[in-house]
Amino acid sequence: MVWSPEKTEVKSWNEWDTLRHVIVGRADDCHIPPEEPALDAKVPEDSDMRGQWGRRPQETIDRANELLDNFADQLRKRGVRVDRPVSIDHSQPVTTPDFHTDSQFGCMPPRDVLLTVGHEMLEATMSYRCRWFEYLNYRPLLKQYWEEDPKFRHEAAPKPRLTDEDYHPDYLSDKIGVEKRLKWAEEKFFVTTEEEPLFDAADVLRFGKDLVVQHGFTTNLKGIEWLRRHFPDHRVHTVNFPGDPYPIHIDATFTPLRPGLILNNPQRRLPEEQREMFHKNGWEIVDSAQPAHNTPPPLCYSSTWLSMNVLVLDPKTVCVEKSEVYQAEQMDKLGMEVVEVELRDAYAFGGGLHCCTADVYRDGDCEDYFPNQ
Ligand code: DAV
């Protein structure tokens, strides 16, 4: 069936087929949340964000929104339908019978919250208290898709309780040191416990019939098991990237570009034994280029590896952040047409080009790219 911009349809099975319809986040009312166990574990020990919280300065919100609006326009000019979330009031505290936190986060990275698999969009459990209600930013869109597309399945994973039982107290210190963090990551000792299923949508990559999920700070093994039971027609694979002292979200680490080709962060290589399924099926895993920057922008949670947080528009075309010249050069060598998008001043609001988008529709069907299991 041919896609038409007049008719809403939710469908996306992978990360690379031609993108037709997408959500682009907003920087509106974004807050630096107060301290809480899972968030603290991710903030680098020498970060300028330690110890401060509250609404981000208006001029930085305006600048980030300018870049996100421009990105949305660039996509529209290429024929992609673009929707935007409706920001809730993120200054509101979150209180449940189990926990309290004084503010929420924002709605710049829909990729963290919404997982599109075929005709379904699934709201992730999330693993930070400040992100418990983040799905509400996307509910007006999901409501609209549900009303306009009779095949759309709107699903939500069980809300987690997020009591102290969900977090290892060892991670509460800001004096752990990178060496110990790397050792813990190697041992798969992460900040989240196995109290209950937890996952962020950005830990999942879609390869047709196969879902590849990172086990780390934001997704635990029970979260992966929950996904396995929820998608019985898929094969769900657990991966780890031991070189990452702050392992959250797979999309600055492992980036499929087209069938048969994946970029892998050279500081976070997929361990040899986990490469087998890719090699057996003719997939090549290549080291990504180096980031163009030595440090992230101010007040940013993410690492400089947002350089590889790209948005694939089709198997020959990819959006790369404008200042990431080495990443763009590598894409060119790999035969991809590069669309430059300026986004660096929005990184602090929740990530890069992959993070700030969520698929609504891509061409193509659910294919088996790994027949040799
Ligand atoms: O490398 O800091 C960022 C991923 C954001 N979704 C990193 C991971």
Side-chain angles (χ1 to χ4, degrees), residues 23-35:
I23 299 172
V24 173
R26 290 188 194 273
D28 297 13
D29 200 45
C30 185
H31 280 61
I32 296 175
E35 292 188 359

Side-chain angles (χ1 to χ4, degrees), residues 334-353:
L334 292 168
M336 306 284 290
E337 186 207 325
V338 172
V339 178
E340 286 182 357
V341 180
E342 195 178 357
L343 200 77
R344 189 168 156 84
D345 290 344
Y347 279 4
F349 292 77
L353 294 162

